[in-house]
Amino acid sequence: MVKSEKIEVLDTTLRDGAQANGISFSLQDKLGILRALDELGIDFIEAGNPGSNPKDMEFFNLAKEQKLEHSKLLAFGSTKKKKIKASEDNQIKSLLDAKTEGVVIFGKAWDLHVREVLQVSLEENLNMIQETVSFLKDNGRFVIFDAEHFFDGWVANADYSLSALKIALDAGADRIVLCDTNGGTFPDTIAKASAEALKALGVPDKMGIHTHNDIDMASANTLAAVNLGFRHIQGTLAGFGERCGNACLASLIPSLELKLKFTCLPKGKLERISSLTRKIAEISNIVLSDNMPYIGSSAFSHKAGMHADGVLKITESFEHVDPALVGNDRHILMSEVVGRSAITERINKIDPTITKEHPVTLTLIKKLKKLEAEGWAFEGADASFDLFIRRELGRYESLFKIEAYRVVSEHPTGETISCSHAWVKVLVDGQYEIAAAEGDGPVNAMDNALRRALQHFFPELEQMRLSDYKVRVIDGNAATAAKVRVLINSSDGERNWMTVGVSEDIIEASRAALTDSIEYKLIGDFQRKFKAYL
Amino acid sequence: MVKSEKIEVLDTTLRDGAQANGISFSLQDKLGILRALDELGIDFIEAGNPGSNPKDMEFFNLAKEQKLEHSKLLAFGSTKKKKIKASEDNQIKSLLDAKTEGVVIFGKAWDLHVREVLQVSLEENLNMIQETVSFLKDNGRFVIFDAEHFFDGWVANADYSLSALKIALDAGADRIVLCDTNGGTFPDTIAKASAEALKALGVPDKMGIHTHNDIDMASANTLAAVNLGFRHIQGTLAGFGERCGNACLASLIPSLELKLKFTCLPKGKLERISSLTRKIAEISNIVLSDNMPYIGSSAFSHKAGMHADGVLKITESFEHVDPALVGNDRHILMSEVVGRSAITERINKIDPTITKEHPVTLTLIKKLKKLEAEGWAFEGADASFDLFIRRELGRYESLFKIEAYRVVSEHPTGETISCSHAWVKVLVDGQYEIAAAEGDGPVNAMDNALRRALQHFFPELEQMRLSDYKVRVIDGNAATAAKVRVLINSSDGERNWMTVGVSEDIIEASRAALTDSIEYKLIGDFQRKFKAYL
């Protein structure tokens, strides 16, 4: 193995990840994920099929305006329909309309699928691959060919599955990717089939692997192909994807870089992988398991007396790599995860004069640790984190104050259903306003009343809406008096932001997150409105 | 490979699983997990170290009274201390006091650990292994030797790591288990080292493998050893364990049985693996990822139009195995997961005369599906499920009624903190009682008020306590008006039970779960008190 040899990484969170149960990306979510993947330095970002719906085409139009530092955006589609020319197939045309540098085309490599699902002849399918790839190459695109179900196809009819690869290569495809679409293949079969494909095509640098985790082998299967010389891997950063998910890049990239000495990311980016994976999970509204390899909050935590003791004596005794290399930490706390440089970077967005060594940076880190020990978590809750920094820097003035509130949930005598209502009294610029509202449950009632009171002063709150609301119980052992963490996602159509609140009282935690959300909106609007005077 | 060859399975949820961050088992939790593992037909259940604390010894005393159908319970400990006889080592003596058929002994197989962590000579460590194993064999125990850090040890000093195995085998150990304790080893190294160990010892039937998932290779590593002839595997059913967890048996067992044609569980048990793994997760208060291989609720769900279409045309086109074989389902709903036989079994606990074909069984399944579509989930919430069946069978009489309640969370003018209080009016046997209470948040206030009112009639509620309270938002997209599912764990010192409530209003969902919990307690007490008359 050559040291520092490059492995090309393709992330398909925006396409295969979007197919996962429980995931539903808004346009803003997609742009946020695009930025996070580019920030990490992923080579290729595969997004949706521009022909499948107008929203996806809108994404490609907006994505063009993003200045990506490292990543190349790819549109995704299938081979052309039978019996029409590629140039006349609307789906293929929309791939060109997306105006990306490259496209990913999937084609059938399993004879069963060709006959039973696609319902064309084996020959016709090969023609469809050939014509589609040729047409896109003629139009100047970088073409990645995904051989869907390659491994199942190889078991059933090896010759046919290999001929699908060959025809794509001959038609000019820049990458040939072997897919374990159903995710049920073991590493030994992956290795045998991949070796045969490699021998038949003779182009290791153009070979890629795409695996799914249905039998918990996605990482091992990817590695089996890399060991044979494949230099292009596909997966999703957090492992999201159809059914059991795709190969998890946040597990694979650290193993490839730290243990096998390949280069996957630009220099210095590996230590961002923990925080950026968590960011994508927050945007996706998916709770990552604490025990995820490398990046999980428990991945380097030690509980057993003996293990903790061993780690103190000599770290490698119970740690396979240094957690700092992937931006994770033995002590779990977020402040240490992020590190001083990352926090300084965030501070500098608000005040560019503050350095890493400035006393306020240290005070801020100390307070952050204290808040985290109390159950706060700012991963993803960027808006609350910004407000927290502003408050510490003294660059903050409260725009409104909740003077008092009262939320009532009741089930009156004689009634068959319960109801919730709330009143809130706010103080803005010396002026009081009181409003009441009903809601589905106490939090919804309070949200409604608070906005009603504030809209009197800030009509722009009309555009703002809560797009998501999450509750997590932090310490399950204290039963109904356990602390809860509330995460709120807000949007005004243009921007998307997330805020957090923590309390033993769910109403109070929600109040904190709602207040931050509204303040963040108002400060942003104010800054844009009075840009000339700042 | 011989068809239906047996692979012995050891589950260490109660030992390695208990070390996981976020897990803290009560005595009742441990007994519940023990029963679930036995129900599945796991060969060996490794529990705690009886010498480490009195609670673990109490567990072994209580566990003896459980009539296990299939599993053998094992105590877990380390090799004896240096410079004293095994017979005089308190930790070793407590292993005998646990009175289990077998014991697991871990010993050091990495020279670094011997020198730096244990701080004894290499020779002395081998003596400690030899004497400990011999002593336990002399006392009639089945002895499993876990060679801790075997693979890291093999890389550093292969001869020494192998000599640790040999001395344990020569001392009479019944199983020799190679451990990847830090979880950082790749399958190729596992295969090389295991092959060498196999060659040195020559006893494939006695060889076992124990892996951790720190680089996402636990399953692949286990398989690498099985492919060489190892016939004993260790892991935890749901994958719980230190840091990134142990090898996940719920992923491995289905692969070994369905794809590689080994026998791991007694006949007919594989289809229980989904529900029993979920049960253990509920007891452990850990949320399983939807995308877990085989058993996750999304493991066989299809979202992409093309995939769903393909599955309808021919199931194997997008499914690597039939989900029914592991008790899982393409349609996610719990009712279909459980199946009619399992539901009839549950009904028969309340009324033994009802058959699988009885109309009430069908009505019940129909209602269950409807509830699940509304967001109810009865996995783990056995008590609510029992009450649901009782209500449908007409074998239920409400013991109390909440006539009215009012929960108030407020932040009064001039105050700096919020507070919550509640009043509840109950009707018991024609008599009204009203009580009020404060609490940390609205749910806690309501819980306090409700118990206060009911204790007037049912003083036995004094012993009952809520041991856990969980909230999950079911549909994140409706923001603060999303539905929430509340799960409550209760205990009265003798029994442990779980109940569920669902509503758009968190107070109402909590009310439902609390009511079920109290009713379940009262019905159980009543049945025990008046057993003679029933």
Side-chain angles (χ1 to χ4, degrees):
Chain A
M1 184 197 329
V2 183
K3 257 207 166 199
S4 283
E5 203 181 331
K6 168 72 182 164
I7 292 200
E8 209 173 71
V9 180
L10 180 147
D11 182 287
T12 178
T13 303
L14 294 174
R15 203 272 307 168
D16 228 334
Q19 311 276 37
N21 194 14
I23 286 187
S24 161
F25 294 135
S26 69
L27 201 55
Q28 291 302 323
D29 290 344
K30 285 187 188 171
L31 292 170
I33 289 170
L34 179 69
R35 281 189 296 264
L37 291 171
D38 179 51
E39 207 175 328
L40 185 61
I42 295 290
D43 298 304
F44 294 111
I45 299 173
E46 178 177 284
N49 187 327
S52 68
N53 70 56
K55 255 178 83 181
D56 268 351
M57 190 54 100
E58 200 185 337
F59 164 77
F60 281 104
N61 288 335
L62 286 172
K64 259 172 265 163
E65 289 160 27
Q66 307 283 324
K67 284 194 188 71
L68 299 184
E69 272 193 31
H70 181 94
S71 306
K72 287 186 178 63
L73 183 65
L74 306 174
F76 175 87
S78 66
T79 48
K80 72 170 190 74
K81 285 208 187 77
K82 57 185 171 185
K83 289 177 193 156
I84 54 168
K85 282 186 181 172
S87 59
E88 285 158 14
D89 183 313
N90 285 332
Q91 188 247 155
I92 304 289
K93 281 196 277 183
S94 70
L95 286 175
L96 294 180
D97 291 343
K99 296 201 169 59
T100 54
E101 262 182 77
V103 293
V104 179
I105 286 294
F106 76 94
K108 301 279 183 195
W110 185 0
D111 57 357
L112 169 93
H113 260 255
V114 176
R115 282 193 309 262
E116 306 283 338
V117 179
L118 216 53
Q119 301 178 338
V120 302
S121 73
L122 295 182
E123 191 56 33
E124 175 74 29
N125 177 54
L126 296 180
N127 287 341
M128 286 155 64
I129 296 173
Q130 198 278 327
E131 284 180 36
T132 310
V133 173
S134 292
F135 175 76
L136 291 166
K137 283 308 299 173
D138 289 346
N139 280 274
R141 294 300 187 274
F142 183 91
V143 176
I144 297 177
F145 177 71
D146 276 11
E148 195 194 36
H149 290 298
F150 172 76
F151 296 98
D152 291 313
W154 180 80
V155 171
N157 183 344
D159 285 346
Y160 186 73
S161 68
L162 292 170
S163 65
L165 306 182
K166 269 184 265 178
I167 206 148
L169 183 69
D170 291 345
D174 299 281
R175 297 288 179 270
I176 304 290
V177 181
L178 279 43
C179 304
D180 185 27
T181 309
N182 287 6
T185 310
F186 288 114
D188 51 357
T189 306
I190 297 280
K192 263 183 244 159
S194 300
E196 225 176 75
L198 196 54
K199 206 174 141 200
L201 303 188
V203 286
D205 289 350
K206 291 192 176 181
M207 304 290 283
I209 180 85
H210 173 114
T211 64
H212 280 262
N213 204 37
D214 295 71
I215 57 169
D216 205 14
M217 294 289 157
S219 286
N221 285 345
T222 303
L223 212 67
V226 168
N227 283 340
L228 287 168
F230 286 37
R231 292 296 174 261
H232 171 102
I233 64 170
Q234 299 193 348
T236 56
L237 193 56
F240 302 153
E242 290 259 9
R243 306 180 315 272
C244 303
N246 288 58
C248 175
L249 296 173
S251 298
L252 278 165
I253 292 172
S255 282
L256 290 168
E257 291 214 341
L258 298 174
K259 291 173 179 277
L260 300 173
K261 308 299 177 196
F262 286 104
T263 298
C264 299
L265 302 177
K267 210 167 148 52
K269 290 295 191 180
L270 188 62
E271 62 193 64
R272 303 292 314 282
I273 200 165
S274 290
S275 60
L276 288 169
T277 307
R278 291 171 195 168
K279 185 173 200 162
I280 286 177
E282 287 295 345
I283 293 174
S284 308
N285 190 15
I286 297 284
V287 181
L288 292 180
S289 294
D290 288 346
N291 64 4
M292 272 182 77
Y294 292 104
I295 64 139
S297 59
S298 302
F300 298 95
S301 77
H302 302 280
K303 192 173 170 188
M306 223 164 322
H307 282 205
D309 189 50
V311 165
L312 287 179
K313 276 185 182 147
I314 173 162
T315 59
E316 73 183 288
S317 67
F318 285 99
E319 258 170 25
H320 67 109
V321 296
D322 177 359
L325 297 173
V326 291
N328 207 340
D329 196 282
R330 192 176 302 136
H331 305 291
I332 306 165
L333 292 179
M334 165 69 180
S335 45
E336 289 170 273
V337 174
V338 168
R340 209 194 288 189
S341 327
I343 286 183
T344 312
E345 212 185 300
R346 292 289 296 272
I347 296 176
N348 288 346
K349 283 186 187 166
I350 291 156
D351 184 342
T353 67
I354 308 264
T355 63
K356 215 161 131 177
E357 286 73 29
H358 195 290
V360 84
T361 309
L362 298 176
T363 317
L364 223 138
I365 288 175
K366 233 183 193 166
K367 289 211 178 171
L368 192 56
K369 280 193 198 180
K370 198 172 153 281
L371 283 172
E372 280 163 348
E374 288 167 11
W376 291 76
F378 291 100
E379 281 135 12
D382 285 350
S384 283
F385 194 64
D386 268 18
L387 290 170
F388 163 72
I389 292 173
R390 280 185 180 279
R391 283 173 198 132
E392 291 308 313
L393 296 183
R395 294 177 70 95
Y396 167 81
E397 222 171 301
S398 167
L399 294 168
F400 64 91
K401 193 174 166 237
I402 299 181
E403 272 288 296
Y405 68 74
R406 185 180 174 94
V407 184
V408 177
S409 290
E410 63 183 339
H411 188 294
T413 313
E415 293 290 328
T416 53
I417 54 153
S418 63
C419 66
S420 292
H421 42 95
W423 65 255
V424 177
K425 183 179 177 186
V426 295
L427 174 64
V428 179
D429 230 0
Q431 215 183 319
Y432 287 104
E433 177 71 22
I434 191 163
E438 289 183 308
D440 296 321
V443 178
N444 187 235
M446 162 130 126
D447 178 29
N448 291 341
L450 179 60
R451 285 136 167 294
R452 198 175 281 188
L454 288 173
Q455 274 176 34
H456 182 78
F457 305 98
F458 309 108
E460 61 263 50
L461 292 179
E462 179 74 42
Q463 312 129 25
M464 178 182 154
R465 63 177 190 86
L466 265 58
S467 52
D468 193 12
Y469 175 78
K470 283 178 264 193
V471 184
R472 295 182 198 163
V473 175
I474 302 165
D475 170 15
N477 292 324
T480 47
K483 266 189 186 170
V484 291
R485 180 163 62 226
V486 166
L487 281 164
I488 285 179
N489 235 314
S490 308
S491 166
D492 59 7
E494 276 176 61
R495 296 184 305 161
N496 236 354
W497 61 97
M498 205 188 279
T499 52
V500 60
V502 172
S503 170
E504 282 176 347
D505 179 347
I506 192 172
I507 305 292
E508 183 53 27
S510 305
R511 201 262 326 136
L514 280 172
T515 304
D516 270 10
S517 174
I518 293 170
E519 288 208 315
Y520 189 79
K521 158 80 178 155
L522 294 176
I523 291 172
D525 284 0
F526 181 83
Q527 285 179 325
R528 280 187 289 181
K529 219 186 276 179
F530 299 104
K531 216 171 182 178
Y533 305 102
L534 291 177
Chain B
M1 186 196 324
V2 183
K3 254 210 169 194
S4 282
E5 203 181 332
K6 167 71 184 165
I7 291 199
E8 211 173 68
V9 180
L10 180 147
D11 181 286
T12 180
T13 303
L14 294 175
R15 204 272 306 169
D16 228 333
Q19 312 275 37
N21 196 15
I23 286 188
S24 160
F25 293 135
S26 69
L27 201 54
Q28 291 302 325
D29 289 344
K30 284 186 188 172
L31 292 170
I33 290 170
L34 179 69
R35 283 189 295 265
L37 291 171
D38 179 50
E39 208 174 327
L40 185 60
I42 294 290
D43 298 304
F44 294 110
I45 299 173
E46 179 177 283
N49 187 328
S52 69
N53 71 55
K55 256 178 79 180
D56 268 351
M57 190 53 99
E58 201 185 337
F59 164 77
F60 281 103
N61 288 334
L62 286 172
K64 258 172 267 163
E65 290 160 27
Q66 308 282 325
K67 285 193 188 71
L68 299 184
E69 272 192 34
H70 180 95
S71 306
K72 287 186 177 62
L73 184 65
L74 306 174
F76 175 87
S78 67
T79 48
K80 73 173 189 73
K81 286 209 185 77
K82 58 185 170 184
K83 289 179 192 156
I84 54 167
K85 283 186 181 172
S87 60
E88 285 159 13
D89 185 311
N90 285 333
Q91 187 247 152
I92 304 290
K93 281 196 277 184
S94 71
L95 286 175
L96 294 181
D97 291 344
K99 296 201 169 55
T100 53
E101 263 181 75
V103 293
V104 179
I105 286 295
F106 75 92
K108 300 279 183 196
W110 186 1
D111 56 357
L112 170 93
H113 259 257
V114 176
R115 281 193 309 262
E116 307 283 339
V117 179
L118 216 53
Q119 299 179 338
V120 301
S121 73
L122 295 183
E123 190 56 31
E124 175 74 28
N125 177 53
L126 296 180
N127 287 340
M128 285 157 62
I129 296 173
Q130 197 279 328
E131 285 180 35
T132 309
V133 173
S134 291
F135 176 74
L136 291 166
K137 283 309 297 175
D138 289 347
N139 280 274
R141 294 299 188 275
F142 184 91
V143 176
I144 296 176
F145 178 71
D146 275 11
E148 194 194 41
H149 289 298
F150 173 77
F151 295 98
D152 290 313
W154 180 82
V155 171
N157 182 345
D159 285 345
Y160 187 72
S161 68
L162 293 169
S163 65
L165 305 182
K166 270 185 260 174
I167 206 147
L169 183 69
D170 292 344
D174 299 281
R175 297 289 179 271
I176 303 290
V177 181
L178 279 44
C179 304
D180 184 28
T181 310
N182 287 7
T185 311
F186 288 113
D188 51 356
T189 306
I190 297 280
K192 264 183 241 159
S194 300
E196 227 176 74
L198 195 55
K199 206 175 143 200
L201 303 188
V203 286
D205 288 350
K206 293 192 174 181
M207 304 290 284
I209 180 86
H210 174 114
T211 64
H212 280 262
N213 205 37
D214 295 71
I215 58 169
D216 206 14
M217 293 290 156
S219 286
N221 285 344
T222 303
L223 212 68
V226 168
N227 282 340
L228 287 167
F230 285 38
R231 291 296 174 260
H232 171 103
I233 64 169
Q234 300 192 348
T236 56
L237 193 55
F240 301 154
E242 291 258 9
R243 305 181 314 272
C244 303
N246 289 58
C248 175
L249 295 174
S251 299
L252 278 165
I253 291 172
S255 281
L256 290 168
E257 291 213 341
L258 298 175
K259 289 171 180 276
L260 300 172
K261 307 301 177 196
F262 286 103
T263 298
C264 299
L265 303 176
K267 210 165 146 53
K269 290 295 191 180
L270 187 62
E271 61 193 66
R272 304 292 313 282
I273 201 164
S274 291
S275 60
L276 288 169
T277 306
R278 290 171 196 168
K279 184 174 201 161
I280 287 177
E282 286 296 347
I283 294 174
S284 308
N285 190 14
I286 297 283
V287 181
L288 292 180
S289 294
D290 289 346
N291 65 4
M292 271 182 77
Y294 291 104
I295 64 139
S297 59
S298 302
F300 298 95
S301 77
H302 302 280
K303 192 173 171 187
M306 224 168 313
H307 282 205
D309 189 48
V311 163
L312 287 179
K313 276 187 184 148
I314 174 164
T315 59
E316 73 183 290
S317 68
F318 284 100
E319 260 171 23
H320 67 107
V321 295
D322 176 358
L325 297 173
V326 292
N328 208 341
D329 197 281
R330 191 174 304 136
H331 303 291
I332 307 166
L333 289 181
M334 164 71 180
S335 46
E336 288 168 272
V337 175
V338 169
R340 210 194 288 187
S341 328
I343 285 183
T344 313
E345 211 186 302
R346 293 289 295 272
I347 295 176
N348 289 344
K349 284 187 187 165
I350 291 156
D351 185 341
T353 67
I354 308 263
T355 63
K356 218 162 127 174
E357 285 73 28
H358 195 290
V360 85
T361 310
L362 298 177
T363 317
L364 223 138
I365 288 176
K366 232 182 194 169
K367 288 212 179 170
L368 192 57
K369 281 193 198 178
K370 198 173 154 277
L371 284 172
E372 281 163 347
E374 288 167 10
W376 292 75
F378 291 100
E379 282 135 13
D382 286 349
S384 283
F385 194 62
D386 269 18
L387 290 169
F388 164 70
I389 293 173
R390 279 185 180 281
R391 283 174 198 131
E392 291 307 312
L393 295 184
R395 295 177 68 96
Y396 166 83
E397 222 171 300
S398 167
L399 294 166
F400 65 90
K401 194 175 166 238
I402 299 180
E403 272 287 298
Y405 68 73
R406 185 180 174 93
V407 184
V408 179
S409 290
E410 63 182 338
H411 188 295
T413 312
E415 294 291 326
T416 52
I417 54 155
S418 64
C419 65
S420 290
H421 42 94
W423 65 257
V424 178
K425 185 178 177 186
V426 295
L427 174 63
V428 180
D429 229 2
Q431 216 184 317
Y432 287 104
E433 177 71 22
I434 191 162
E438 289 182 307
D440 297 320
V443 179
N444 187 237
M446 161 131 125
D447 178 30
N448 291 340
L450 179 60
R451 286 137 166 291
R452 199 175 278 188
L454 289 172
Q455 273 174 35
H456 183 75
F457 305 97
F458 309 107
E460 61 264 49
L461 291 179
E462 178 74 41
Q463 311 130 28
M464 178 183 155
R465 63 178 189 83
L466 264 59
S467 52
D468 193 13
Y469 174 79
K470 283 178 265 193
V471 185
R472 295 183 200 164
V473 175
I474 303 165
D475 170 16
N477 292 325
T480 47
K483 266 192 187 166
V484 291
R485 178 163 63 226
V486 165
L487 280 163
I488 286 181
N489 234 314
S490 307
S491 166
D492 60 6
E494 276 175 61
R495 295 184 305 160
N496 237 354
W497 62 97
M498 205 187 279
T499 53
V500 61
V502 172
S503 170
E504 282 177 347
D505 178 348
I506 192 172
I507 305 292
E508 184 52 26
S510 305
R511 201 262 327 134
L514 279 172
T515 305
D516 270 9
S517 174
I518 292 170
E519 288 208 316
Y520 188 80
K521 157 81 177 154
L522 295 175
I523 292 172
D525 284 1
F526 180 83
Q527 284 180 323
R528 278 187 292 181
K529 221 187 271 179
F530 300 103
K531 216 173 184 175
Y533 304 102
L534 291 176

